[in-house]
Amino acid sequence: MLITTKAPTHFQRQLAAFIGDTPEWISEHWLSILVATGIAIGIVLILHTLRSWGMRLCRNSDGNGGANWYTILGRTVARTGNFFIVMTAVRLVVNYAQTPSLLDKTVTFLFTIAVAFQVAIWIREIIFGLIEHRTRGDNASESLASAVGIIRLLISIALFAIALVMILSNVGVNVTGLVAGLGVGGIAIGLAAQGIVGDLIAALSILFDRPFRVGDNIKFGTTSGTVEGIGLKSTRIRAFEGEMHIISNRQLLDKELHNLTDRTKIRLPFTIGVAYETPPEKLERLPEIFKSIVEANGATAVRNGFSGFGASSIDYELIAELHTGSWDIGHPTRDRILVGIVRKLAEEGISIPYPTQTTYTAAPDGRIIMPYPDVQPVLRVDKEDGER
């Protein structure tokens, strides 16, 4: 009877060779192994000390409030894993101990895994720190906080996926098909959710560029109001008239925005028309008259002069500037200036004409017929004696 045996696999042969060579390697290089072990322990202690320093730096920085650059550095260093520390120490001393080929390949493989995932963790912490640093001091709504959470999740998935692909590539796996599949899948997901992705990117723009914040008064298009909430997809704005406007972040950023909260001054424009019959000497005094009225109400006349000849009046342009952004001050000041102008013009006998149009006609002989005929005298009748 013929008995056949199954040939050992390549891994089994390598494992048998490693087990057989290990006692001989230890006996011949025991001193190098001890020195390498001591060096590795020293490297581990140094890396642990650096990680502890990062933790202390992170705690001290947090005590000062917010995420500053020291906090970002501290958090990044504090996220160094024990597996990476051990594999780094082993990888640095493995050549000194003259390890067998299989053990050296194993250490290189494990070190590659440790480096890939540790770098992904560091990059993730740096990005998260930058996001927190950028949004420090903002009164972000719960919706925007959830948006930041989704951003963190997407960043984590992307970084660890890249790390996994790099590991597979380093161990000899053909990742071309995997990368192509991930690319096609990403494009399909992007096309299917392009509206949501667009609003998410718009939310990121609001988060980092800060065109407005919760509580700011803004104007977009023909609408003005106060921002009450910034969400993942939309922003809620309470109009000054009372109604709530809900507009998508993407459409909102496509409009021209006016942030009224950051205003430091208010300009009050006035266009005044005076009658053509006003004497020139009174016209010359108008700039000084208007300037005194504006300054008496705590404003500055930044534009104070005639703008041209109108259809029924000589037009005058006056712009008063207030060094405040509050309309609680601006509106009453504008009213006082307007009333002051009307009162002063009345005292000076200068009229503000209504829009008028006069039509002149000609008689058959060519003489101009005045539009207003001469007023005939009115005779008084005495009822008692019948005399005129």
Side-chain angles (χ1 to χ4, degrees):
M1 181 176 179
L2 182 62
I3 300 176
T4 59
T5 59
K6 186 178 181 180
T9 62
H10 176 69
F11 175 74
Q12 291 175 340
R13 290 196 302 269
Q14 284 190 330
L15 182 60
F18 173 73
I19 295 174
D21 294 341
T22 298
E24 182 180 356
W25 167 65
I26 294 175
S27 63
E28 292 181 358
H29 302 90
W30 63 269
L31 182 60
S32 299
I33 295 173
L34 290 178
V35 174
T37 303
I39 295 174
I41 292 174
I43 294 173
V44 170
L45 292 176
I46 292 173
L47 294 179
H48 272 288
T49 302
L50 290 175
R51 187 174 67 176
S52 300
W53 169 80
M55 293 178 179
R56 289 194 302 270
L57 181 63
C58 180
R59 287 194 295 268
N60 294 335
S61 300
D62 284 341
N64 296 329
N68 53 35
W69 297 110
Y70 293 104
T71 306
I72 296 174
L73 177 60
R75 289 180 181 177
T76 303
V77 175
R79 290 293 183 179
T80 304
N82 291 323
F83 181 64
F84 171 77
I85 292 176
V86 172
M87 292 312 305
T88 300
V90 173
R91 186 67 183 86
L92 291 176
V93 301
V94 69
N95 292 330
Y96 180 79
Q98 300 179 13
T99 56
S101 176
L102 180 60
L103 180 59
D104 185 71
K105 290 180 180 178
T106 303
V107 170
T108 302
F109 172 71
L110 295 176
F111 177 71
T112 302
I113 295 176
V115 169
F117 283 106
Q118 186 61 61
V119 171
I121 291 173
W122 283 339
I123 295 175
R124 183 187 64 175
E125 289 303 318
I126 291 174
I127 295 175
F128 290 173
L130 291 175
I131 292 175
E132 186 176 349
H133 174 74
R134 187 61 181 169
T135 58
R136 180 177 59 183
D138 286 351
N139 296 323
S141 62
E142 294 181 359
S143 300
L144 189 56
S146 65
V148 175
I150 294 175
I151 295 168
R152 289 171 177 263
L153 177 62
L154 294 177
I155 291 174
S156 300
I157 294 175
L159 289 175
F160 285 108
I162 294 173
L164 181 60
V165 171
M166 292 179 61
I167 292 172
L168 294 176
S169 177
N170 276 276
V171 299
V173 177
N174 187 1
V175 296
T176 304
L178 177 61
V179 174
L182 291 175
V184 172
I187 293 174
I189 294 174
L191 291 175
Q194 57 182 343
I196 298 176
V197 173
D199 289 324
L200 177 60
I201 294 175
L204 286 175
S205 300
I206 296 174
L207 182 67
F208 288 102
D209 192 43
R210 299 181 183 179
F212 54 84
R213 304 179 185 181
V214 174
D216 284 359
N217 297 325
I218 66 172
K219 178 181 179 181
F220 61 97
T222 59
T223 304
S224 300
T226 303
V227 179
E228 291 194 353
I230 303 172
L232 175 62
K233 182 176 176 57
S234 62
T235 296
R236 288 167 171 77
I237 301 171
R238 178 73 64 181
F240 295 144
E241 292 79 9
E243 67 271 15
M244 175 71 75
H245 292 266
I246 302 174
I247 182 170
S248 69
N249 294 326
R250 182 174 49 177
Q251 293 180 357
L252 184 61
L253 291 185
D254 287 339
K255 300 178 181 293
E256 180 182 1
L257 292 175
H258 299 265
N259 194 323
L260 308 179
T261 303
D262 295 335
R263 179 172 49 196
T264 58
K265 58 185 178 182
I266 297 176
R267 289 194 168 185
L268 307 173
F270 299 91
T271 300
I272 308 158
V274 296
Y276 277 103
E277 294 80 11
T278 305
E281 57 272 12
K282 290 187 177 182
L283 292 177
E284 293 176 348
R285 294 179 52 225
L286 285 182
E288 188 62 31
I289 292 173
F290 293 151
K291 181 180 179 182
S292 62
I293 295 173
V294 170
E295 292 179 350
N297 288 278
T300 304
V302 296
R303 176 73 174 89
N304 187 19
F306 292 98
S307 60
F309 295 96
S312 57
S313 63
I314 301 176
D315 295 333
Y316 194 94
E317 184 180 6
L318 173 66
I319 299 178
E321 182 177 278
L322 287 171
H323 295 284
T324 179
S326 175
W327 275 107
D328 292 338
I329 300 174
H331 280 297
T333 303
R334 181 175 62 182
D335 295 343
R336 289 194 299 270
I337 292 176
L338 188 146
V339 174
I341 290 173
V342 174
R343 180 181 292 114
K344 189 64 178 178
L345 292 181
E347 293 175 357
E348 295 289 335
I350 301 174
S351 64
I352 301 176
Y354 294 104
T356 57
Q357 184 176 7
T358 302
T359 303
Y360 294 90
T361 57
D365 58 359
R367 290 182 299 105
I368 296 297
I369 300 175
M370 299 304 292
Y372 304 104
D374 294 337
V375 179
Q376 301 297 325
V378 179
L379 300 179
R380 178 176 179 276
V381 178
D382 193 340
K383 295 183 179 180
E384 295 181 356
D385 55 10
E387 296 180 356
R388 294 180 179 272

